[in-house]
Amino acid sequence: MPKSKRDKRISLTKTKKKGLESKQNLIGEVRQCVEQYDRIFIFSVSNMRNSKLKEVRNAWKHSRFFFGKNKVMALALGKTPETEIMNGLHKLSTKLANEVGVLFTSKSKEDVISWFETYSEHDYARAGNIATSAVELDEGPLVQFSHAIEPHLRKLGLPVALKKGIVTMLQDYTVCREGEVLTPEQAKILKLLKVVMSQFSIEMRCTWDKASGNFEVMDMKPREQVFNTVRIKSDDQEYNYIESDMNVDKEQNDNAMKATTNETDTPPSPESPPRRVTRSQSRHRKK
């Protein structure tokens, strides 16, 4: 059948470019915030989630967040000592690179640091994220799953089968290992198992004070790792925890062994492996 000349596709995705006017408005807003607020912070976001960032904006309604268009914001602040609108702002402009945002606030430096150091939200990991722990599945029934999801689990690569209407692992299986990049299939399996591995957090990189004109680069402290192995048995999850004082105990044991060696000529006993603590967290199905 010949194609009709009246059969034309009309695209509804045409949008007007924001252009120069939008950039000029952003420059005006940034310069107005410099006059209004006492301090400026540049921050970076780990495991970006728009919904979580919106919650932070709502909690800090007394301040102003800017995220994106780093070159335009750097132009608004001033890239050189001759073009900066206030003393020391050109140093802050050099840090506007990669995925960073700007926070304008009148809160003290101590209040900002203490709030964001304690703030974090957990979420399911996505494809491309780095696995923070190893996840292992033991052979046996997975009673948390319905029989209808068994074909989907097999498509994801899990060695499962239905036995008496219950999804059962045919052998031990390692979903992911610590430090490897997650594939889309691994991320879906972790979400089905309700293993939360991603952590949304905001780290402050540097700050500028309007009263003194001082610019300061801040030390970024890495988030503490709580566990490194998750073993799933039936509908239970067993976490292998790392003790926070493990290194301190190791140093104390080494010093004690050296002191014992100096007092006596007998060789010291071999060093015992680091102690680990395990805790089982059960999640039973509702009857």
Side-chain angles (χ1 to χ4, degrees):
M1 182 176 179
K3 185 177 180 181
S4 174
K5 294 182 179 180
R6 285 175 283 186
D7 185 14
K8 296 181 180 180
R9 288 188 176 183
I10 301 176
S11 177
L12 302 177
T13 59
K14 293 182 179 179
T15 57
K16 294 182 180 179
K17 292 185 177 180
K18 295 182 179 180
L20 181 61
E21 183 179 356
S22 175
K23 296 179 180 179
Q24 290 175 344
N25 292 336
L26 179 58
I27 291 175
E29 291 179 4
V30 170
R31 291 180 175 176
Q32 183 180 357
C33 289
V34 173
E35 298 289 341
Q36 181 179 354
Y37 297 100
D38 296 335
R39 289 169 192 85
I40 305 176
F41 291 85
I42 291 182
F43 63 89
S44 60
V45 181
S46 297
N47 299 309
M48 181 64 178
R49 301 289 188 274
N50 289 332
S51 59
K52 306 298 182 183
L53 186 60
K54 187 177 180 180
E55 294 177 2
V56 175
R57 289 179 186 269
N58 293 333
W60 283 72
K61 288 184 177 180
H62 48 73
S63 304
R64 185 74 185 273
F65 285 86
F66 289 89
F67 203 86
K69 296 187 178 180
N70 293 336
K71 292 183 179 180
V72 179
M73 289 190 290
L75 182 63
L77 298 175
K79 296 183 178 181
T80 62
E82 293 77 17
T83 59
E84 64 183 7
I85 59 176
M86 284 193 180
N87 185 28
L89 277 179
H90 74 280
K91 299 177 182 178
L92 195 72
S93 300
T94 59
K95 302 299 180 180
L96 286 172
N98 301 323
E99 295 183 2
V100 296
V102 181
L103 168 63
F104 292 88
T105 183
S106 294
K107 290 287 186 180
S108 64
K109 173 186 171 183
E110 291 75 17
D111 292 341
V112 174
I113 294 176
S114 62
W115 195 91
F116 283 100
E117 280 185 349
T118 56
Y119 175 81
S120 64
E121 291 288 340
H122 295 273
D123 200 355
Y124 296 111
R126 297 177 179 177
N129 293 150
I130 303 298
T132 59
S133 59
V135 179
E136 302 170 353
L137 283 168
D138 284 353
E139 180 182 357
L142 298 175
V143 297
Q144 67 267 41
F145 292 128
S146 168
H147 68 280
I149 203 175
E150 186 264 344
H152 179 59
L153 295 177
R154 280 193 284 107
K155 287 183 179 179
L156 294 177
L158 291 179
V160 295
L162 281 178
K163 292 186 177 180
K164 297 182 180 180
I166 299 176
V167 180
T168 306
M169 291 289 299
L170 301 178
Q171 61 187 29
D172 294 345
Y173 183 79
T174 301
V175 179
C176 62
R177 293 181 175 82
E178 182 181 0
E180 72 177 10
V181 180
L182 294 177
T183 63
E185 291 76 16
Q186 289 173 325
K188 291 177 182 178
I189 293 173
L190 292 176
K191 188 173 183 178
L192 290 172
L193 294 172
K194 292 181 170 55
V195 176
V196 178
M197 196 174 289
S198 178
Q199 186 178 14
F200 171 84
S201 61
I202 296 178
E203 292 83 19
M204 294 295 157
R205 290 178 171 266
C206 54
T207 179
W208 174 84
D209 185 82
K210 182 167 67 174
S212 61
N214 291 335
F215 169 78
E216 180 184 355
V217 178
M218 305 167 67
D219 296 332
M220 296 178 60
K221 298 180 181 179
R223 298 283 174 170
E224 182 181 0
Q225 185 180 4
V226 182
F227 57 88
N228 64 350
T229 304
V230 182
R231 180 174 292 276
I232 299 175
K233 302 178 179 180
S234 185
D235 62 342
D236 295 343
Q237 292 185 3
E238 182 179 290
Y239 291 81
N240 189 9
Y241 284 83
I242 301 177
E243 290 185 331
S244 59
D245 57 343
M246 184 187 301
N247 295 330
V248 178
D249 293 343
K250 184 178 179 181
E251 292 180 0
Q252 292 177 353
N253 292 336
D254 292 342
N255 294 334
M257 291 173 63
K258 290 180 181 179
T260 306
T261 305
N262 295 332
E263 292 176 0
T264 60
D265 296 336
T266 56
S269 59
E271 182 183 356
S272 59
R275 296 182 294 110
R276 296 183 181 274
V277 184
T278 59
R279 185 179 73 180
S280 180
Q281 180 182 3
S282 301
R283 295 182 287 104
H284 300 285
R285 299 176 64 189
K286 294 182 181 180
K287 296 182 180 179

